[in-house]
């Protein structure tokens, strides 16, 4: 059932040959290995994944909070090894040029990464802010339908973006619900908090397209689990089911209503859906019945 929610994201990843499924696996498997006490394997998986694409970097603060210190300390080592490995076949000047070019693409101070409006399909917070609060961005493919409610400068957008990212980071505390350096209260709680952390990925990082919606799969798995769990226990969670139906239609809107794709991108429907899913996830915390430590799987 959860995979049906991500049908569009799965299709987009296959169509574009994206690495999102591999990165999602690396996040979940890396956490599982860290929880199982295999710090070297966890660090190797995350280090290689972060070097491929920065998105799994979001797990490093979580590793520190949950006291996986050894794994967190080893991750930079494997990132460095992975980044330096091309020196085995490339000359130093060539390698330096590649790293310089990569930094120019990743530089967070670049206005392109703040406004994030080069393409209308981008999902990030910066893209949404510039869509509704600025006229300095804009893609040549943007339609003329009205959406601007303010005209803020790039500097103000950058400041507001920093505040919203901070709010998302602080929101993690709502899901962690334990003191720092303490383990999660159980397997269910670990899955719940991981769902939120991975939901942050498409919103936190710039240049994320609809294929990044695949990072919502752990959260959707949790919500489907809660619906079925309540149903099997004789409870009919009507409101939760109704919200999940809305989520299904929204997450697959490009597939179901492709004729209106330009409007879906224009009004950042998918970005708003991610925020709505965060609220729904916060509304369905784990029960207290499973608070003993258990493997993530």
């Amino acid at each position: 059932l959860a995979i049906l929610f991500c049908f569009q994201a799965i299709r987009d990843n296959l169509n574009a040959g994206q690495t999102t499924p591999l990165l999602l696996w690396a996040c979940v498997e890396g956490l599982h290995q860290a929880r199982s006490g295999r710090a070297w394997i966890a660090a190797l998986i995350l280090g290689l994944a972060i070097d491929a694409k920065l998105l799994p970097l979001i797990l490093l603060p979580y590793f520190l909070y949950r006291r996986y210190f050894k794994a967190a300390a080893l991750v930079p080592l494997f990132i460095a090894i992975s980044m330096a490995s091309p020196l085995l076949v490339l000359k130093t000047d060539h390698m330096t040029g590649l790293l310089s070019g990569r930094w120019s693409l990743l530089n967070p101070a670049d206005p392109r990464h703040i406004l994030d409006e080069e393409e209308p399909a981008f999902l990030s917070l910066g893209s949404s802010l510039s869509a509704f609060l600025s006229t300095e961005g804009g893609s040549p493919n943007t339609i003329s339908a009205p959406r601007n409610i303010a005209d803020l400068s790039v500097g103000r957008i950058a400041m507001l973006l920093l505040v919203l990212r901070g709010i998302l980071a602080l929101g993690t505390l709502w899901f962690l619900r334990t003191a720092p350096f303490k383990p999660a209260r159980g397997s269910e709680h670990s899955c719940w908090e991981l769902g939120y952390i991975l939901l942050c990925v498409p919103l936190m990082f710039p240049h994320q397209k609809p294929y990044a919606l695949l990072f919502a799969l752990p959260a959707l798995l949790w919500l489907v689990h809660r619906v079925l769990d309540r149903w099997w226990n004789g409870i009919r969670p009507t409101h939760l089911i109704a919200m999940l139906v809305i989520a299904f239609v929204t997450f697959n809107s490009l597939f179901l209503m492709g004729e209106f794709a330009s409007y879906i991108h224009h009004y950042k429907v998918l970005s708003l859906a991610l925020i709505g899913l965060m609220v729904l996830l916060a509304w369905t915390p784990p029960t207290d019945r499973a608070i003993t430590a258990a493997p993530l799987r």
Side-chain angles (χ1 to χ4, degrees):
L1 287 174
I3 287 174
L4 287 177
F5 281 84
C6 290
F7 180 83
Q8 176 184 297
I10 294 171
R11 182 207 62 173
D12 290 344
N13 276 280
L14 293 174
N15 183 54
Q18 284 295 318
T19 59
T20 313
L22 178 62
L23 297 175
L24 176 59
W25 169 83
C27 291
V28 177
E29 183 66 20
L31 176 56
H32 170 69
Q33 295 295 336
R35 290 191 66 195
S36 301
R38 294 185 282 269
W40 285 88
I41 299 177
L44 173 62
I45 292 172
L46 275 184
L48 293 175
I50 291 170
D51 182 41
K53 207 167 184 178
L54 288 180
L55 308 185
L57 190 65
I58 201 169
L59 279 183
L60 273 186
Y62 176 76
F63 271 35
L64 294 173
Y65 194 95
R66 286 295 181 217
R67 204 177 177 181
Y68 305 133
F69 295 143
K70 186 176 180 180
L74 288 171
V75 166
L77 171 64
F78 285 110
I79 294 175
I81 292 173
S82 181
M83 291 182 66
S85 58
L87 285 172
L88 297 173
V89 294
L90 297 178
K91 294 182 178 179
T92 304
D93 292 344
H94 188 185
M95 184 65 182
T96 302
L98 290 175
L99 291 176
S100 176
R102 188 177 190 185
W103 169 247
S104 68
L105 293 174
L106 299 176
N107 182 5
D110 191 327
R112 292 180 304 160
H113 302 155
I114 298 171
L115 295 173
D116 205 21
E117 267 288 88
E118 293 178 1
E119 296 185 32
F122 287 159
L123 304 175
S124 73
L125 287 173
S127 180
S128 298
L129 288 176
S130 61
F132 294 108
L133 300 177
S134 175
T135 57
E136 292 196 38
S139 163
N141 300 314
T142 301
I143 62 177
S144 58
R147 67 179 180 181
N148 284 100
I149 58 178
D151 185 13
L152 303 183
S153 65
V154 175
R156 290 184 178 271
I157 291 288
M159 186 180 301
L160 186 55
L161 178 59
L162 186 63
V163 170
L164 290 180
R165 283 173 173 167
I167 291 174
L168 285 184
L170 289 175
T172 308
L173 298 176
W174 170 264
F175 290 85
L176 295 175
R177 300 199 175 188
T178 62
F181 316 131
K182 299 290 184 181
R185 297 192 302 171
S187 181
E188 284 196 351
H189 186 236
S190 184
C191 291
W192 183 59
E193 62 191 14
L194 179 64
Y196 172 78
I197 292 170
L198 294 181
L199 271 179
C200 291
V201 170
L203 296 173
M204 287 277 208
F205 291 89
H207 299 330
Q208 299 306 300
K209 293 185 180 180
Y211 51 71
L213 290 175
L214 191 63
F215 279 103
L217 181 57
L220 290 166
L221 280 167
W222 169 257
L223 292 169
V224 171
H225 157 70
R226 287 308 303 272
V227 168
L228 296 179
D229 184 55
R230 293 183 183 184
W231 197 283
W232 289 330
N233 285 281
I235 303 173
R236 300 294 181 264
T238 307
H239 292 86
L240 182 56
I241 292 174
M243 292 178 184
L244 282 176
V245 170
I246 295 172
F248 170 78
V249 174
T250 307
F251 270 74
N252 293 282
S253 56
L254 293 175
F255 179 75
L256 298 173
M257 299 173 284
E259 185 177 352
F260 303 100
S262 57
Y263 289 92
I264 293 169
H265 294 321
H266 189 69
Y267 291 107
K268 303 301 174 184
V269 172
L270 299 178
S271 302
L272 296 175
L274 285 168
I275 296 172
L277 197 62
M278 287 179 171
V279 175
L280 193 55
L281 195 66
W283 187 45
T284 54
T287 60
D288 293 331
R289 66 183 180 185
I291 59 174
T292 55
L296 186 62
R297 288 175 177 170

